[in-house]
Amino acid sequence: QLNEEGKRIVLCHGTFDLIHTGHIRHLQEAKKQGDLLFATITADNYVSKGPGRPVFSEVLRAENLAALTCVDYVGIVHAQTAEQPISKIKPHIYVKGKEYKNAADDLTGNITKEKQLVEKFGGEIYFTDDITFSSSNLLNEHFGVFPPEIKSYLNTFKKKYSSDQIINMLRSLENLNVLVIGDAIVDEYHYVEALGQSGKGMNMSVKFSSQEQFAGGSLAIANHISGFVKDVTIVAGLGKQESHEEFVRSKLKQNVHPEFFYFQDAPTIVKRRYVDMDLSKLFEVYFYNDQPSSKNINDKVCSWLEKNTAKFDVVIVPDFGNGFISAGMIQKLCKHARFLAVNTQLNSGNRGYHSINRYSRADFVSLNTPELRTATHDRHDSVENLAKRIISQLGAKYLAVTLGSEGALLLNKSPEKIYRTPALSTQVLDRIGAGDTFLSLAGLCLGGNLSSEVALFVGNVAAALDVQVVCNRESTIPVNLYKYINTLLKS
């Protein structure tokens, strides 16, 4: 109707989490370009600026914009980009801030797509050039988004590194040739509703609601890494029977190249968790053979490792201790890997029988506190002292200890120094897979010769994003990681 009346329509789009002077000047300048100004905001579920964002709900953000006299219409967009409102409104002018003028500076690459779409409908893009403020910085400093210890850590860290520097460092890793070797695991969540105590026993009864499968274990690690390098090779074992191979292959990213070896007398490992609607785990069932007849598969994998391991810049081993990685394979990895990053996970199926002591060497070791104490058989000494003991034993260059809600630390052997970071997520949806994410990104950074301090930060940022995701539903998306780094270090 407005088009038929000959009105010149202007569109602005953004998060608008905290309206400030820069936003107001931007919107006022946009209104001058036409007769009516449409302002659209990204709905809460599609804002990808990291945990705790947006601070204000989509309804409040929309109300704030609607209260401005320069804004004529407000819409909430259930998508990550402005392509939907551009297609529906077909503005004569699409207005963005000056920070988007150079398309190469846009982390998402969306500005190029939006510009093309605007021009497709006969419109043009206009960049305002006025006073600017950082909403992220204002929110971080004045709205209690982060507790004092995180604010203190970030203030110290960003004096050394800007978000652009960190992002450029991560982009410099793209040519690394990476091998991931470890158990292929199919994670299952069976969502249930609690009914209460059984009428004929002391057990709890639940009502089944739905189920979901995820590619876990080494599959998840390979997918995390795939966004940051051109090619990833994964070596893993599948069952000849109950292989789940079609599902597994369908979940691997396009640049992940699998080398699967097949157990004759064991299924592909399935870990089924019964989960209530609040994502609390009620019960877990393992479908696997923890003592497969591995002679045939061991010889084949060892032969492959003997020929190929040295070709890779970085080898990452998520050793879940479920029967795939043998002593022979470990020997080949320790002998031939140019940079070896290892985690030996402690879980219900291997408790008391599995530790980092299986390895004679590693360049980077990542453990949580129980894994560290199991490896050293020490309940009481400090984590720092135990880390020093393990790093010396393996001749490792780096050892990280993930500390859950207390963050993480990384011991650098030469020169000896311990770096610490607090947990960078203020909300936790699901902790499953967070340690794997940390191993993936921190290991990749250290294998690419980035500093210990940067590797610890990046691994922790990635883990903070991962605890917002149910199990391994999504892998680490570089753009989302970059945007959260930008949010954290915004000055």
Side-chain angles (χ1 to χ4, degrees), residues 82-387:
E83 293 174 82
Q84 185 189 82
I86 290 170
S87 298
K88 289 182 177 292
I89 297 168
K90 300 180 178 63
H92 298 89
I93 303 289
Y94 179 52
V95 179
K96 295 294 286 183
K98 62 183 178 182
E99 65 269 27
Y100 291 94
K101 198 164 188 176
N102 183 358
D105 293 337
D106 178 24
L107 293 174
T108 65
N110 290 331
I111 190 65
T112 300
K113 300 175 187 175
E114 292 167 355
K115 181 176 183 292
Q116 292 171 347
L117 194 57
V118 169
E119 292 173 348
K120 174 184 174 181
F121 295 117
E124 60 181 293
I125 193 165
Y126 177 86
F127 297 97
T128 58
D129 187 6
D130 207 320
I131 186 172
T132 60
F133 293 93
S134 166
S135 294
S136 294
N137 185 53
L138 292 170
L139 289 166
N140 291 348
E141 288 298 321
H142 303 293
F143 281 77
V145 175
F146 296 116
E149 63 270 21
I150 295 181
K151 288 174 65 175
S152 175
Y153 166 77
L154 292 174
N155 285 336
T156 300
F157 188 84
K158 66 187 180 184
K159 289 177 183 176
K160 299 181 181 179
Y161 306 99
S162 69
S163 58
D164 286 345
Q165 286 176 312
I166 300 294
I167 292 166
N168 287 334
M169 289 178 192
L170 286 169
R171 286 174 169 162
S172 74
L173 304 175
E174 67 174 358
N175 290 321
L176 290 177
N177 193 14
V178 180
L179 170 65
V180 175
I181 175 170
D183 299 284
I185 299 172
V186 176
D187 287 307
E188 290 185 353
Y189 274 22
H190 285 234
Y191 301 103
V192 297
E193 297 177 33
L195 296 176
Q197 183 180 333
S198 168
K200 298 182 179 180
M202 297 298 292
N203 58 293
M204 177 187 289
S205 297
V206 296
K207 176 186 175 184
F208 176 79
S209 178
S210 62
Q211 69 183 67
E212 190 173 5
Q213 284 187 320
F214 313 94
S218 61
L219 309 171
I221 299 273
N223 281 337
H224 287 311
I225 294 168
S226 69
F228 300 89
V229 300
K230 292 177 180 177
D231 292 291
V232 181
T233 299
I234 179 172
V235 171
L238 299 181
K240 196 70 174 178
Q241 308 297 325
E242 301 177 71
S243 70
H244 298 271
E245 184 167 358
E246 184 177 351
F247 168 78
V248 166
R249 288 186 181 273
S250 74
K251 291 297 181 180
L252 291 177
K253 301 296 184 182
Q254 287 188 338
N255 61 332
V256 175
H257 309 294
E259 292 284 345
F260 290 140
F261 297 83
Y262 299 89
F263 288 108
Q264 297 296 322
D265 60 345
T268 297
I269 299 164
V270 174
K271 294 186 179 182
R272 179 180 297 170
R273 297 174 178 90
Y274 290 84
V275 183
D276 71 14
M277 295 312 181
D278 293 323
L279 291 179
S280 296
K281 281 73 176 179
L282 306 178
F283 196 71
E284 185 169 349
V285 181
Y286 280 43
F287 297 84
Y288 79 126
N289 179 356
D290 60 345
Q291 292 182 318
S293 300
S294 58
K295 179 71 169 69
N296 186 48
I297 192 172
N298 178 66
D299 291 348
K300 289 180 179 179
V301 177
C302 285
S303 176
W304 191 96
L305 292 174
E306 179 73 30
K307 294 175 184 176
N308 295 287
T309 302
K311 298 176 184 177
F312 296 93
D313 301 302
V314 180
V315 179
I316 295 183
V317 186
D319 188 345
F320 295 91
N322 292 319
F324 173 62
I325 296 182
S326 68
M329 296 177 201
I330 291 173
Q331 185 181 26
K332 299 296 182 186
L333 291 167
C334 292
K335 180 179 179 181
H336 297 295
R338 289 154 62 182
F339 184 92
L340 183 62
V342 183
N343 164 252
T344 46
Q345 187 190 89
L346 188 66
N347 58 48
S348 305
N350 65 36
R351 191 176 297 273
Y353 304 98
H354 183 60
S355 79
I356 193 65
N357 298 319
R358 297 183 72 199
Y359 291 77
S360 61
R361 68 157 279 247
D363 296 289
F364 170 50
V365 176
S366 178
L367 304 172
N368 63 25
T369 304
E371 290 160 357
L372 179 66
R373 293 196 179 281
T374 297
T376 54
H377 305 291
D378 194 320
R379 295 178 59 186
H380 303 294
D381 204 353
S382 69
V383 168
E384 292 83 355
N385 285 341
L386 298 182

Side-chain angles (χ1 to χ4, degrees), residues 14-19 41-45 47 52-65 74-76 78 139:
T15 305
F16 296 105
D17 200 3
L18 176 67
I19 300 294
I41 63 168
T42 306
D44 294 348
N45 289 340
V47 174
R53 298 292 302 273
V55 172
F56 297 99
S57 72
E58 60 197 42
V59 173
L60 289 177
R61 290 183 285 127
E63 285 182 3
N64 289 341
L65 285 177
V74 177
I76 299 172
H78 293 269
L139 289 166

